[in-house]
Amino acid sequence: MTFDTPDGTTGARQPKAGPVLRWLNRFAGRRIRKAGTAFGGMNALVLTTVGRRTGTERRTPVGWFPGEDGSWLIVASAAGAPRNPAWYHNIAANPDKIRIELAGETHDVTAEQLHDEQRDRAWMQITTAAPRFAEYQRKTDRQLPIIRLTPRQ
């Protein structure tokens, strides 16, 4: 499957990655790695990607939902911003160089973007469990990508 969701033209303002946001992400990451606890009212994991331009590892806490066969579903929502989050582009460039951490465990994973009926089923599951994602979708004209992370063999 391809990573082909273009940026939109309208949407919510995406916060700048200033010192407060970086501190919050580090704090959340430590909690998630250690205990796998929910953060912001939902299950969360630490997503490690490889920067598409820099080749540097990037860690981002993201919410997740259970997928089929023990996979994890994540949404590239950026809270309804017009642009896809940086980690989406990093995954697209390196879908086989991804790692997740939660509850003291690390998993090497492979990513695929869901399309068509698979995306529709996952979207229903996600918006039922976390209605805020439907609100994020209303804020932007891009379709929010849903990514399935499966354990790498």
Side-chain angles (χ1 to χ4, degrees):
M1 295 277 173
T2 58
F3 292 85
D4 57 1
T5 301
D7 288 337
T9 58
T10 62
R13 185 181 73 79
Q14 192 168 14
K16 297 282 186 213
V20 173
L21 187 57
R22 284 192 299 269
W23 177 85
L24 180 62
N25 279 347
R26 283 192 305 271
F27 174 77
R30 283 191 300 269
R31 282 189 58 190
I32 294 163
R33 277 188 203 98
K34 184 176 181 181
T37 58
F39 199 82
M42 60 190 314
N43 292 327
L45 56 81
V46 177
L47 176 70
T48 301
T49 60
V50 174
R52 65 184 168 137
R53 290 189 221 145
T54 64
T56 304
E57 283 194 349
R58 305 288 184 194
R59 290 175 186 79
T60 309
V62 296
W64 68 274
F65 302 88
E68 299 169 358
D69 302 329
S71 64
W72 300 267
L73 301 176
I74 59 176
V75 182
S77 68
R83 297 177 57 124
N84 291 308
W87 61 258
Y88 173 81
H89 299 290
N90 292 345
I91 285 176
N94 299 293
D96 57 342
K97 294 182 180 176
I98 304 161
R99 187 172 63 246
I100 62 171
E101 299 171 77
L102 67 158
E105 294 184 6
T106 300
H107 305 272
D108 292 328
V109 296
T110 301
E112 72 171 309
Q113 183 171 335
L114 301 183
H115 295 283
D116 303 322
E117 296 84 24
Q118 285 185 323
R119 186 197 181 280
D120 293 342
R121 282 193 310 275
W123 184 248
M124 286 295 294
Q125 173 193 345
I126 290 165
T127 55
T128 298
R132 76 175 87 170
F133 284 93
E135 182 59 32
Y136 296 157
Q137 182 62 75
R138 281 190 283 279
K139 292 179 180 181
T140 185
D141 60 347
R142 70 180 169 94
Q143 184 180 60
L144 301 181
I146 300 174
I147 311 300
R148 177 186 297 136
L149 304 173
T150 54
R152 199 173 322 139
Q153 300 300 325

